[in-house]
Amino acid sequence: MPKVEFDKKNMFFRNLGNTGLRVPVFSYGGWLTVGSHDIKGNPVTELMRTAWECGINMFDNAEAYATGESETQMGNAIKELGWDRQDYIITTKIFFGTGHKETQNTRGLSRKHIIEGCKESLKRLQLDYVDVIFAHRPDVTTPLEETVRAFNYLIDNGLAFYWGTSEWTSSQIAQAIEIAKRLNMVGPCCEQPHYSMFHRERFESEYESLWRYENFGSTIWSPLDSGLLTGKYNHGIPHGSRYHTNPGMMSASVKALETPEGKAKIEKVKKLSVLAEELGGSMASLALAWTLKHKNVSTCILGATKPEQIKENVKALDLYPKLTPEVMHKIETILDNKPAPPPAYARLDDDGNLT
């Protein structure tokens, strides 16, 4: 197989928070895709090759995805594609374990599991190190200082270059940062949260202090809300969609569509779809481009199951420049869900009243 040199094409890059690591604004992730159902072997290679050809050189995974099979399949694809290790970025996450060994120490954020879990992930990925490793969830049963020291160990020993958090509260992240500073160790540099047009509260309100004072980075997941923001569910659940192929995990989401709130979301998607067409793009492109307008989105993780979906998703880069303040105002009017700023950022007006 001929080696394909990385070409960023129309992709643009941002620093991952306050680090020097430059990441593409779109990355490709293995959650609910790689290693699941029939997405193994050659289909994985083709998905990653397509992402690469579209300018994406960052790939996200986790020990828990497809009980470890996602890392294995992605590792096999990387080996087959023969890319230069300096040209791509691999991230993975530790916390849930793989589910194969249900013991007290095969999950969580103890020093034991962080180090052993990372080494097992590296075996599956067939790599010597990952670029970023995430604490997939907070672990309230382990002292936070132990967790900070363990991630610092991974970095000191060349098993990872950076570490981050995923779905932690802002106060937990702030504590980890302060502990690392006190110990003169490497603290977390980024968070991996859910962020989309319909999921804004935590990212735009709770994490505001992290963006403002720590220059924290982010690798956002489910920017299309598992396909809801593509418009595919405007008239029911289509065969082969994520809601259809993952009935257990997505059952709550499917039921939510039948509620008044769910129906209201569908109506908003229909209105946004009209706006997207006026701009010359798709609903998915509009939703993805919208996330990039927040300057603290370092990279937006795509979860496509077909190469064509990746090609379609990156067209959001063409729509991005068209999201002028006027267009963003139209979107905001349709969404009507902008979170209130956190109390700490309330300001006094000229009369001394809180605004």
Side-chain angles (χ1 to χ4, degrees):
M1 179 180 297
K3 182 177 179 180
V4 179
E5 296 294 337
F6 180 66
D7 179 1
K8 69 178 183 178
K9 297 187 180 297
N10 295 322
M11 187 62 61
F12 63 96
F13 292 71
R14 292 174 174 171
N15 282 60
L16 183 62
N18 60 6
T19 77
L21 183 64
R22 300 282 290 170
V23 298
V25 291
F26 285 129
S27 46
Y28 179 70
W31 181 55
L32 297 180
T33 54
V34 176
S36 302
H37 306 293
D38 297 325
I39 308 179
K40 299 177 181 179
N42 189 61
V44 178
T45 302
E46 289 308 306
L47 282 163
M48 294 182 69
R49 187 205 310 276
T50 300
W52 184 268
E53 292 172 348
C54 288
I56 295 171
N57 68 334
M58 183 173 181
F59 303 89
D60 178 78
N61 220 301
E63 63 177 357
Y65 292 170
T67 62
E69 186 64 21
S70 186
E71 289 178 320
T72 297
Q73 292 297 322
M74 193 171 280
N76 290 342
I78 291 170
K79 185 175 182 180
E80 182 178 353
L81 290 163
W83 297 332
D84 189 316
R85 184 63 184 90
Q86 297 179 77
D87 289 339
Y88 61 90
I89 299 165
I90 296 292
T91 70
T92 197
K93 295 178 283 295
I94 298 292
F95 179 83
F96 293 105
T98 61
H100 292 305
K101 301 175 183 178
E102 291 296 333
T103 66
Q104 292 294 317
N105 294 304
T106 54
R107 56 179 294 146
L109 297 180
S110 67
R111 182 180 180 87
K112 179 176 175 63
H113 182 59
I114 288 172
I115 296 172
E116 291 179 344
C118 177
K119 289 180 178 179
E120 289 299 309
S121 286
L122 291 175
K123 287 180 183 178
R124 289 188 289 272
L125 289 165
Q126 302 177 60
L127 298 174
D128 295 326
Y129 62 89
V130 290
D131 297 273
V132 188
I133 188 163
F134 290 88
H136 208 166
R137 290 294 186 274
D139 183 358
V140 297
T141 69
T142 298
L144 190 50
E145 182 172 319
E146 177 179 336
T147 295
V148 171
R149 287 181 179 276
F151 278 108
N152 187 81
Y153 172 91
L154 298 181
I155 293 171
D156 279 351
N157 286 272
L159 302 179
F161 291 150
Y162 308 92
W163 75 279
T165 58
S166 182
E167 295 299 332
W168 284 33
T169 66
S170 61
S171 61
Q172 289 168 332
I173 296 170
Q175 281 184 280
I177 291 172
E178 289 307 309
I179 289 172
K181 288 179 180 177
R182 173 170 58 82
L183 298 175
N184 197 28
M185 291 184 171
V186 179
C189 67
C190 56
E191 159 68 16
Q192 186 167 120
H194 181 189
Y195 182 51
S196 72
M197 285 179 161
F198 289 150
H199 199 94
R200 305 173 61 178
E201 187 72 31
R202 170 166 275 187
F203 195 92
E204 295 183 19
S205 184
E206 181 186 338
Y207 291 154
E208 176 61 27
S209 62
L210 296 172
W211 313 144
R212 185 180 296 247
Y213 298 118
E214 301 295 344
N215 191 22
F216 221 55
S218 68
T219 63
I220 67 168
W221 59 274
S222 201
L224 296 175
D225 275 324
S226 299
L228 180 61
L229 286 166
T230 65
K232 69 171 67 174
Y233 300 114
N234 286 357
H235 305 288
I237 310 298
H239 183 81
S241 65
R242 186 164 291 183
Y243 282 10
H244 176 262
T245 57
N246 293 276
M249 184 171 291
M250 295 299 171
S251 61
S253 298
V254 173
K255 291 178 181 178
L257 289 183
E258 298 303 318
T259 66
E261 182 183 13
K263 293 178 180 178
K265 285 183 177 180
I266 292 296
E267 290 305 310
K268 290 180 180 181
V269 173
K270 290 179 179 178
K271 291 178 181 178
L272 290 168
S273 297
V274 173
L275 179 58
E277 290 179 10
E278 293 174 354
L279 295 171
S282 66
M283 178 61 227
S285 292
L286 180 65
L288 292 170
W290 178 89
T291 67
L292 301 184
K293 293 298 286 188
H294 196 298
K295 64 180 181 180
N296 294 103
V297 171
S298 307
T299 188
C300 178
I301 303 172
L302 306 176
T305 57
K306 301 179 179 64
E308 297 75 27
Q309 292 173 328
I310 296 177
K311 294 176 182 177
E312 179 61 32
N313 286 345
V314 296
K315 288 180 181 178
L317 296 176
D318 298 324
L319 208 60
Y320 177 78
K322 298 179 182 180
L323 299 191
T324 62
E326 292 75 19
V327 172
M328 292 295 285
H329 177 71
K330 289 181 181 179
I331 293 172
E332 200 66 74
T333 300
I334 294 172
L335 290 175
D336 191 28
N337 63 355
K338 187 175 180 63
Y345 296 100
R347 294 289 184 264
L348 296 178
D349 62 19
D350 293 337
D351 297 320
N353 299 312
L354 283 174
T355 59

